[in-house]
Amino acid sequence: MGVFAKESVILEVDAVIPRHRSDVGRHKVWRQAEAYLYMLPAVLVVIIFLLYPAAYTFYVSFTDWDGLTAPEFIGLQNYLQMFKEPVFGTSVVNTIIWVVATLLFPVGLGLLLAVFVNRIPLQEFFKAVFYLPYAISATSIAVIWTYMLAPTGVVNELLKTIGLDALAKPWLQMPPWNTISMLVAFTWQTTGTNMILFLVGLQSIPTDLVEAAKLDGATDMGVFWRIILPLSKPVLATVALWSAVGHWNAYFDVLIYITDRAKYTLQIILRRVLLESELDAMNMAQLASGQGGQVEALDRAREMPTSETVKAALLIVTTVPILMVYPFVQRYFVKGILLGSIKG
C-alpha cells in the first residue's frame, strides 16, 4: 500500500506541475501585455493627433488637391513654386541667422557665466539676479527695450551726454541695427536661464578632476577646454537643442521688434500664409501681372497647384529641418535630461 501511495502522489505532482508552469507563463505574458495596454491610450493619441496628420500633410504636399476631388500627384511642383517666392528664401536665411545667433550669444554667454558663478560665493544671489529678466513677459521686455532704443530714448540720450552724438541713431528702424538690438534684448532675457541649466551640469563634475589637473599645472583655460567642456556635453546638447527648436519656431519676439518684411523669419511667413491666406493674394497678383488676356490668365491659374497644397509643403519645410538635428544630439540629450532630473 505504501508503494502505491507514493506512486499516486508522484503522478499527482507531475500532473500539477505542468499546469502550474503554464499558469506562470500565462501570468507573465499578461503582465507584459498589461504594460502595453497602459501605454495604448497615449500611443493612440500620438498616432491620431500627431503622426497621422504629419504623414498626411507630407503626402498632400506632393499633390494638387482642392479638398473635393481626388488628389493628383505633381511631384515637387509645390516646393518649386514656394521657392520661387523671394520672400520665402529671404525668410529661410533670416531664420538660420537668428538660430545661429541665439546659439552663440545666449547659450555661449550662459555657459561662461555658469563657469564664473560656479567658482564664487553668493551663488544663489547671482542666480536670482541673472534669472530675473526671464520672469518678465516678452511684451514687457519689448516695451522696456523699445523705450530705451527709441530715437529719444535712454541709449541715444546717454550717447549725447558723453559726447558721442554721431553714434546716436534710430536703433529699431535702421538695419542691421534693428536685428542686433533684438538679439541684445533676447540675450538679456534668456542668458540667466541657460546659466542655471549649465550650473546643474557643472556641479555634477567631480571636483577631484579639476583639482588634479591644477596640481599637474593646468591653467584655468586648460581646465575649461579639456575637462569642463567635454564633461558638459550632455547639458550643452540639451540647452542647445531646446534653444534651436525654440528659436526656429519662434515668431512673437521677431514680430514685436521687426517691422521690415525683408527681415521676417520663416515662422512669421508661415503664420501669414496659414492665417491670412497671403499665398492666395500672391497668386492673384501673379495672375494680374501676367501677359495676355483673361483666357491665358485662367490657363495659368489652372496650372498652379492649389494654395492648400503649397501650404502643406511650407509646413513640411518649416518642420523637417529642426527634426533632422535631433538624431545627432540624441545620446547627449538623453544624458542631459537625466542629469537635470537627478540634480534638479
Side-chain angles (χ1 to χ4, degrees), residues 276-291:
E276 303 175 17
S277 298
E278 187 171 290
L279 189 61
D280 294 329
M282 288 190 291
N283 288 341
M284 294 302 296
Q286 290 177 359
L287 291 175
S289 62
Q291 300 294 329

Side-chain angles (χ1 to χ4, degrees), residues 24-342:
V24 172
R26 285 196 298 268
H27 182 68
K28 184 177 180 180
V29 171
W30 168 248
R31 291 296 299 272
Q32 293 176 348
E34 187 179 15
Y36 288 103
L37 289 176
Y38 284 122
M39 296 171 56
L40 184 61
V43 172
L44 290 177
V45 169
V46 172
I47 292 175
I48 295 173
F49 295 102
L50 180 62
L51 296 182
Y52 174 74
Y56 191 74
T57 301
F58 182 74
Y59 163 72
V60 169
S61 68
F62 293 96
T63 65
D64 184 15
W65 183 49
D66 58 4
L68 298 176
T69 59
E72 178 185 355
F73 182 78
I74 59 174
L76 298 175
Q77 188 173 347
N78 288 322
Y79 294 92
L80 294 176
Q81 180 183 347
M82 181 174 56
F83 279 100
K84 288 180 181 178
E85 300 295 337
V87 66
F88 176 77
T90 304
S91 66
V92 172
V93 175
N94 292 339
T95 303
I96 294 175
I97 294 175
W98 173 246
V99 171
V100 172
T102 51
L103 284 176
L104 290 177
F105 293 101
V107 176
L109 186 58
L111 176 60
L112 295 179
L113 285 176
V115 174
F116 172 74
V117 172
N118 193 44
R119 302 172 55 184
I120 62 176
L122 301 176
Q123 288 189 18
E124 300 301 325
F125 171 76
F126 286 102
K127 286 181 183 179
V129 170
F130 287 114
Y131 185 79
L132 183 60
Y134 191 76
I136 305 174
S137 66
T139 305
S140 300
I141 290 178
V143 172
I144 294 172
W145 282 93
T146 301
Y147 171 76
M148 293 178 59
L149 298 174
T152 58
V154 176
V155 175
N156 284 338
E157 293 299 325
L158 180 61
L159 291 174
K160 294 177 182 178
T161 302
I162 60 178
L164 298 176
D165 301 47
L167 297 180
K169 55 178 63 68
W171 300 95
L172 296 177
Q173 286 79 34
M174 181 183 297
W177 295 105
N178 50 4
T179 304
I180 296 174
S181 301
M182 181 179 65
L183 182 61
V184 170
F186 195 80
T187 301
W188 177 76
Q189 181 187 14
T190 58
T191 298
T193 306
N194 296 331
M195 181 199 71
I196 291 177
L197 293 174
F198 282 124
L199 276 173
V200 174
L202 293 178
Q203 291 172 359
S204 65
I205 297 176
T207 57
D208 297 342
L209 293 177
V210 178
E211 294 176 357
K214 289 184 176 181
L215 289 176
D216 290 338
T219 61
D220 291 339
M221 189 62 67
V223 170
F224 175 77
W225 285 108
R226 298 185 179 184
I227 296 178
I228 295 178
L229 192 60
L231 294 179
S232 298
K233 284 183 179 179
V235 67
L236 181 61
T238 303
V239 175
L241 184 61
W242 280 343
S243 178
V245 171
H247 299 139
W248 179 272
N249 296 322
Y251 75 94
F252 185 67
D253 299 311
V254 182
L255 194 63
I256 290 176
Y257 293 101
I258 300 299
T259 58
D260 184 6
R261 291 170 60 90
K263 299 296 182 181
Y264 280 172
T265 59
L266 191 58
Q267 298 301 327
I268 296 183
I269 300 299
L270 175 63
R271 177 182 179 273
R272 296 179 70 92
V273 169
L274 295 181
L275 300 183
E276 303 175 17
S277 298
E278 187 171 290
L279 189 61
D280 294 329
M282 288 190 291
N283 288 341
M284 294 302 296
Q286 290 177 359
L287 291 175
S289 62
Q291 300 294 329
Q294 184 178 6
V295 176
E296 289 79 3
L298 291 176
D299 290 338
R300 289 183 60 221
R302 294 190 187 98
E303 294 176 358
M304 285 184 178
T306 60
S307 61
E308 297 302 322
T309 56
V310 180
K311 291 178 183 179
L314 182 57
L315 282 171
I316 296 300
V317 171
T318 56
T319 304
V320 171
I322 199 65
L323 294 178
M324 296 174 62
V325 178
Y326 178 73
F328 297 99
V329 296
Q330 179 180 6
R331 57 173 181 171
Y332 297 118
F333 182 74
V334 173
K335 293 179 181 179
I337 291 292
L338 294 177
L339 181 64
S341 64
I342 294 173

